[in-house]
Amino acid sequence: MSASEVEKLEKLEAYLRRTANALVETEKELNAERASRTEPIAVLSMACRLPGGIDTPEGFWELLASGGDAVGGLPSRWDSLGVYDPDPEAVGKSYSREGGFIDGAEGFDAPFFGIAPREALSMDPQQRLILETSWEALERAGVRPDSLSESRTGVYLGTMSSDYGNQQGHDLNALDGYSTGNASSVVSGRVSYTLGLQGPAVTVDTACSSSLVSIHLAVQALRQGECELALAGGVTVMSTPALFVEFSRLKGMAADGRCKSFSASADGAGWAEGAGVIVLKKLSAAQRDGDPILAVIRGSAVNQDGRSQGLTAPNGPSQQRVIHDALEAARLTPADIDAIEAHGTGTPLGDPIEAGALAEVFGPDRAANRPVYLGSSKSNIGHAQAAAGVIGVIKMVLALEHGVLPKTLHAEEPSPHIEWKSSGIELLNEARAWERGAERTRRAGVSSFGLSGTNAHVVLEEPPTATQAPSAKPTGAAPLPVVVSGRDEAALREQAGRWADWLSSGRTELPLADVAVTAARHRSHFESRASVVAADSAGLVEALRS
């Protein structure tokens, strides 16, 4: 072989080597891109405001585990309106005098957030509640809200049109220059502004699916690198009885105000208020940072009914498609799902359509001894509208934590309009154990279908094992300082009392060292401060109460 031929072969070999290396690098980049697009998202913490005086996830679980009913009478803020009339034909009245209402929805600690009294009065209560729950959710995740200023933290919140102080077409002289207090866009913007966040701030209104769509958007944003941490959820407060009056006119509301999900006695929606926020982060980042992980979002999807039987009518085929899409995004099959937190509004039309769609997805080839268990927290608290989806997520995260699928109320006799036999689904008309096992990963789906025709579905999974570092355990019983702070001395004393009540409630037992570390490192420190010293929890409670 001549020298020139050898040279040509060497050049060809070098070219092929470079090409092979480039292909390997391209494949690595494509695999990394695919992994990024499908990376699970960790749920770090949750906060909520729900009917029945529930203001913590722990309180929500107590209601669910006990089979409690949080639906009650109309709120005092409507007393002067004389809205109730048992006659279904009465114009401008509600034939239902019960629903799910948040206690003290009109209350707000404006100075805590640096908001002037006049502006606070003009603020939609939905903005006030979402500020409170966002702050609490961050602290529950071990994140000091004041540490996030200028960070790429996203805010994705679902809400619906506000009926608070609506002055359009009324007294224009009463406009006070604070119209932003009533703007839906400001529900998310208010959180970002207050905390100085610089990630996306998006308010979503797809009616009843708003908060689950918000969670889907937050998941997508985290995967695409648009933000590093995300607050997601939704809120609904009924400042006026307009919805009750409207649905009384349509005869679409349960007279007793209760959602009887998938029940033979289903007779219409029971309306409620609610607020819920969850903190989300990419799973790999949460594990790297040693964050607490309550659950994992494996996949999610959103779609639309398109032109169907009616603008507000549920659409079974679209519901099937959104569930299939969410499972595909999670790289799972229907056989991998144990339970569904359903939309389940308790209407004679909607529930059979939803159950039929679920049967089409989960029924084929389902083992008879392993049905998909079906439930809805609307039976406990009512339909919280824009907040319904995130409340369903919070419920299923709690179910994973406690190893129990709670009972769905008012469903002793399942709906005869649903073909239960051989459907692959079974109604949770009693609580069932759902404990972590070595052979099978526990997973659940959460559905939310909007009056707008926009549908959403999220697939949740139990957290990886050993996600939390062991508790700090000091040697001996040496006293430890626990710091408390507030905006002023009154707030400081109120905070100390709250901590004492929580520690003595018996809901949880934590090492004193964990409490001390959390108070010092993971809570915001305000102008008025104090420190107490104790050697055990009982001593800490006594010191705080003093």
Side-chain angles (χ1 to χ4, degrees):
M1 184 180 295
S2 66
S4 61
E5 289 175 329
V6 170
E7 184 179 358
K8 287 179 181 179
L9 284 174
E10 289 176 346
K11 287 182 178 180
L12 177 61
E13 182 181 358
Y15 171 76
L16 291 174
R17 189 178 297 111
R18 287 196 303 271
T19 303
N21 289 338
L23 288 172
V24 169
E25 290 302 316
T26 300
E27 184 178 13
K28 287 180 180 178
E29 291 174 3
L30 287 173
N31 289 337
E33 178 66 22
R34 291 192 197 100
S36 177
R37 288 202 306 265
T38 59
E39 179 173 0
I41 302 298
V43 179
L44 306 188
S45 67
M46 310 180 292
C48 61
R49 295 285 188 278
L50 302 176
I54 295 168
D55 58 4
T56 63
E58 292 80 10
F60 187 26
W61 180 251
E62 289 176 5
L63 179 82
L64 294 168
S66 65
D69 182 345
V71 174
L74 300 181
S76 59
R77 58 183 181 269
W78 294 358
D79 284 352
S80 63
L81 302 177
V83 66
Y84 172 67
D85 190 319
D87 180 6
E89 303 302 324
V91 177
K93 301 291 183 178
S94 166
Y95 60 72
S96 175
R97 58 179 175 184
E98 292 196 290
F101 298 95
I102 297 175
D103 291 352
E106 65 279 6
F108 181 57
D109 188 357
F112 180 88
F113 294 101
I115 296 172
R118 183 179 174 188
E119 183 177 3
L121 182 63
S122 296
M123 280 175 64
D124 181 355
Q126 297 180 141
Q127 292 184 26
R128 306 175 199 161
L129 283 175
I130 216 69
L131 273 177
E132 294 175 359
T133 49
S134 295
W135 187 283
E136 290 179 17
L138 288 169
E139 287 200 332
R140 282 175 165 266
V143 177
R144 289 173 51 172
D146 58 358
S147 71
L148 293 178
S149 180
E150 301 185 6
S151 69
R152 288 166 55 86
T153 299
V155 181
Y156 296 83
L157 297 171
T159 189
M160 293 160 68
S161 299
S162 172
D163 57 0
Y164 178 70
N166 189 351
Q167 296 162 334
Q168 284 187 337
H170 298 288
D171 182 9
L172 298 181
N173 293 323
L175 292 172
D176 60 1
Y178 286 106
S179 60
T180 53
N182 219 20
S184 294
S185 59
V186 180
V187 172
S188 57
R190 178 80 68 175
V191 176
S192 293
Y193 172 79
T194 301
L195 302 181
L197 311 179
Q198 295 184 352
V202 180
T203 302
V204 175
D205 182 358
T206 57
C208 312
S209 59
S210 297
S211 60
L212 209 62
V213 172
S214 297
I215 291 172
H216 167 76
L217 294 177
V219 166
Q220 298 292 85
L222 286 164
R223 287 174 173 163
Q224 293 170 11
E226 295 175 7
C227 55
E228 298 163 358
L229 190 74
L231 292 158
V235 60
T236 289
V237 174
M238 294 176 285
S239 295
T240 74
L243 188 69
F244 273 63
V245 172
E246 181 75 2
F247 269 76
S248 290
R249 189 75 176 267
L250 295 171
K251 307 296 187 295
M253 187 165 54
D256 62 0
R258 286 159 175 82
C259 292
K260 306 168 188 70
S261 308
F262 306 103
S263 170
S265 57
D267 57 352
W271 297 115
E273 302 172 328
V277 173
I278 59 177
V279 177
L280 303 176
K281 196 174 189 178
K282 290 171 75 169
L283 179 60
S284 59
Q287 291 174 321
R288 176 199 66 206
D289 297 338
D291 294 318
I293 301 174
L294 305 181
V296 170
I297 296 176
R298 281 290 303 271
S300 61
V302 169
N303 75 359
Q304 232 284 340
D305 288 344
R307 189 168 181 83
S308 58
Q309 295 178 349
L311 173 63
T312 61
N315 185 297
S318 290
Q319 293 177 14
Q320 293 178 45
R321 285 193 294 273
V322 79
I323 296 171
H324 276 303
D325 289 347
L327 288 170
E328 183 178 348
R331 294 173 294 173
L332 298 171
T333 68
D336 295 315
I337 306 301
D338 298 330
I340 296 290
E341 171 65 6
H343 190 58
T345 54
T347 61
L349 172 66
D351 285 2
I353 290 175
E354 181 175 5
L358 291 169
E360 288 293 327
V361 175
F362 295 101
D365 304 321
R366 191 84 185 187
N369 63 344
R370 278 202 57 252
V372 171
Y373 292 109
L374 184 64
S376 176
S377 57
K378 292 181 178 67
S379 69
N380 302 92
I381 65 169
H383 185 350
Q385 304 168 71
V390 69
I391 291 170
V393 169
I394 292 173
K395 171 190 170 180
M396 296 315 292
V397 172
L398 291 168
L400 286 167
E401 178 185 352
H402 293 275
V404 176
L405 290 168
K407 172 183 177 179
T408 291
L409 308 187
H410 321 303
E412 291 76 14
E413 183 182 351
S415 171
H417 304 298
I418 297 171
E419 183 58 52
W420 297 101
K421 188 176 181 181
S422 302
S423 67
I425 58 176
E426 182 175 325
L427 186 59
L428 280 163
N429 47 21
E430 62 180 27
R432 290 186 174 271
W434 194 32
E435 297 174 355
R436 183 187 286 269
E439 296 181 358
R440 181 177 176 81
T441 301
R442 296 174 298 161
R443 299 185 181 96
V446 180
S447 289
S448 202
F449 308 130
L451 190 73
S452 63
T454 298
N455 309 305
H457 190 80
V458 167
V459 179
L460 290 171
E461 181 176 287
E462 65 186 347
T465 56
T467 60
Q468 289 182 296
S471 299
K473 295 181 180 179
T475 57
L480 293 171
V482 176
V483 296
V484 189
S485 71
R487 292 292 189 189
D488 54 31
E489 186 175 338
L492 171 66
R493 294 184 184 279
E494 176 69 18
Q495 182 76 314
R498 281 171 166 265
W499 284 22
D501 291 343
W502 173 71
L503 287 163
S504 59
S505 67
R507 282 180 176 170
T508 186
E509 292 185 10
L510 288 174
L512 179 60
D514 285 1
V515 177
V517 168
T518 298
R521 297 181 56 190
H522 304 298
R523 292 294 181 267
S524 297
H525 297 163
F526 299 110
E527 296 84 355
S528 188
R529 307 180 186 183
S531 176
V532 297
V533 178
D536 53 36
S537 293
L540 177 56
V541 169
E542 182 181 355
L544 288 168
R545 292 207 188 284
S546 69

